[in-house]
Amino acid sequence: MNAADVLALGLPWLRLDLRCDPAALMAEAEAVEARAVPHRANGRGWRSLCLHGLGATATCDATEYGYESEAAAPHAWTEIADLCPRTAEWVGRLPLRRLYRVRYMWLAPGGYVAPHDDSEIRRLGPINVALSQPVGCVFKMEGHGVVPFEPGAAFLLDVSNRHAVINTSREGRLHLIVRGEHHADDPAWADLVMRSWRAER
Amino acid sequence: VQSFQAWARRRRVGFGLWSRPTCRPDRHARCAELTLRALQLHNEEGRSALFEGADVDSLLRSALVAGHDYLLVQSAGSWIRDREALRAALEAEMERGFLVLGHVLDRGEAYYSLHHQCFMVDLERWADLGCPRFGDPGQTPRTLHRPRRSEEAFHHGYTPLWIAPSGERQGYARQEWGWHLIHAGLEAGQRIAPFSRAVRRAKGYLYPGNAEGFDARLAAVRAEASGWGAWAWVANTEETPDVAAFTGPVKTLVSVAAGLAPWALLAQAGFTAGTVVHFVDASADTLAFQRWLLERWDGEGYADAVAAFHRDHPAAGAQPDATPVALTALERQADLRAAWPGLRRLAVHSHRIDLLSADCGRVRAWLGPATMVSFSNVFHSRRTHLGLTESENAEAWQRWLETIEGAWGLGVDPWNRTVAGFISTAAGSPAAVNRCFPPDVLSFFAGEQHWLREANRR
């Protein structure tokens, strides 16, 4: 079995064999949190800020800003990346062919993201990194259960599955979502996928 | 002294606003604000842990997953008038056990129901029954558990003193609010209890659906809140804040006059023979109490001193929760025996100033180096939260911050956040947090309900 085979299994998520220092990255995020903007209307207490994208506060898909697709949009590092150098460096080391949106996603205490799906195409797409994950905050995919996030854990997610998040805790939650192009025939990406797959098994 | 808030935390009582409108929008908005502000006052976490929603089932389920054992649900226009009395009455009910407490109504051909103004549910029992739905009004003929009921009623015959399971069923043509919860509870042999007279007395309701006399009822609430501030405040129930960051000794203390707190602050922060005290208080009785205390008290037996003051001043309003036990605990906590002789000799001035009014500007005259300004919970009290709107409260707070800007201040802000340090006017209001989740989100996580509840109770 190779990386392409693993990615074709129809997994709802794959825990990536990646390490980060969530406390250090959290500290950078907290320094810019006041600049975050509400993200979408299908939730409460859901705020976002881009380190990479079409602008720090352009937190939605590129098609919502007039581009044909994410691939067609001129994504670039924003001023937030300059303020969060360790996070930007960590993201820059990911074995992706190209970065699209890289966003902090805060979910306030009492916040939620209503059930939805983000794509009609079944595929493991975005990388979702939990910089914080309070007990009582849950990310669930319909038919598959709760994604076992913990601080510092990174998952490759198939967000064509209906999913939702609820934060019943008294603390805010912060995730980093990295969207970009990855190809199973890129050796570094294939290596990460295979290491992750073996570790999960 | 255990505060209402501490009791609610120990008993894991959550507070919910059932925000379904029952009247025209402007009146509903006034009532919802009153109820929310009262809830923020009685809830230890202020704005950060309330449940607000138009659907009772979502309120109950949200409070359950948040780890609460009970949810007190109030409609817009309902408020707690006497929380100490309410605490005692509810504690007795909790000891006895119940599924639901409320205004139980028996309206003839309609099945038994709950008046929407206020009710309380034991969430653990509710969960054990499988979270039965509350039950909206309807006109579907149904066969339901017919309870036994008292012949006597609280009033008008339709408000039984008690109901109990009978094991029998009967057809009913109509259903009103809460019918299904009552039916399911009776079927399971659970206690469905009408609010006792003590609970009824301890809370109020503006009946916003009844336009006639509404303004007068609202004005009465505000007047009641204002009168509450006029008692002789002999005991502070809030904890004395830490003044270690103040560089003493205190040259001038500007303080509200309640209880032993001002003297405890001086004893902690340090004072000299030249220290001057300015008491500023809206309550003439509280100022009179401090004058009496300085003249008559020898520093021991505070509860006896308070009793003696009230004998000497029979017209002074008595603070209801200032029991001998509470006063003795307060005296022990303040521990003024050594300092009291020196404190009694200080220059003390009394000023009847309402810090919530523009009159608070008079305080500027006494500010200077080594001045401590103690305003306690003046901006977060029953007086502010039942007597003022949120914007009126915020305006008074801003005016006060501008008055004492740069001074060393001590107290809590309108959102019950501790202030202890040099005052700046920059502090904003915290975001309100609604912990009630929509039905579709709760159903999506129904399988995780138990797990979430346990996680939030750890």
Side-chain angles (χ1 to χ4, degrees), chain B residues 35 73 106 121 144 229 234 251 302 325 330 364 374 383 412 418 435:
Chain B
T35 302
V73 179
D106 171 15
V121 175
L144 299 166
V234 297
K251 189 175 178 189
Y302 187 59
V325 171
L330 201 67
R364 281 199 195 93
S374 171
R383 188 167 170 233
V412 294
T418 299
R435 305 184 71 81

Side-chain angles (χ1 to χ4, degrees), chain A residues 24-36 49-52 56 77-89 104:
Chain A
L25 303 194
M26 271 285 287
E28 286 192 339
E30 281 169 1
V32 297
E33 185 179 354
R35 301 181 185 213
L49 192 64
C50 294
L51 291 97
H52 192 272
W77 291 106
T78 70
E79 67 274 21
I80 302 303
D82 296 333
L83 299 168
C84 304
R86 292 184 70 166
T87 310
E89 187 198 350
Y104 290 127

Side-chain angles (χ1 to χ4, degrees), chain A residues 44 109 112 140 168-170, chain B residues 45 434-436 444 448 456:
Chain A
R44 181 174 68 206
Y112 67 88
K140 181 182 177 183
T168 66
S169 81
R170 283 164 167 71
Chain B
E45 295 175 271
N434 182 6
R435 305 184 71 81
C436 181
F444 193 82
E448 286 69 39
N456 285 316

Side-chain angles (χ1 to χ4, degrees), chain A residues 44 109-115 135-142 145-146 162-170, chain B residues 45 48-49 52 65-66 68 433-438 440-448 451-452 455-456 458:
Chain A
R44 181 174 68 206
Y112 67 88
V113 180
V135 174
C137 182
V138 173
F139 185 124
K140 181 182 177 183
M141 280 193 184
E142 192 169 61
V146 172
R162 196 158 173 263
H163 59 282
V165 189
I166 189 169
N167 187 0
T168 66
S169 81
R170 283 164 167 71
Chain B
E45 295 175 271
S48 67
E52 179 183 353
V65 298
H68 290 289
V433 175
N434 182 6
R435 305 184 71 81
C436 181
F437 297 100
D440 62 329
V441 174
L442 289 163
S443 338
F444 193 82
F445 289 97
E448 286 69 39
W451 183 88
L452 285 167
N456 285 316
R458 283 199 286 270

Side-chain angles (χ1 to χ4, degrees), chain B residues 9-30:
Chain B
R9 180 183 58 208
R10 182 173 64 79
R11 279 297 199 171
R12 296 184 191 268
V13 179
F15 297 90
L17 169 62
W18 184 13
S19 54
R20 180 187 61 89
T22 58
C23 58
R24 68 180 201 210
D26 60 331
R27 207 182 305 137
H28 174 73
R30 290 292 302 275

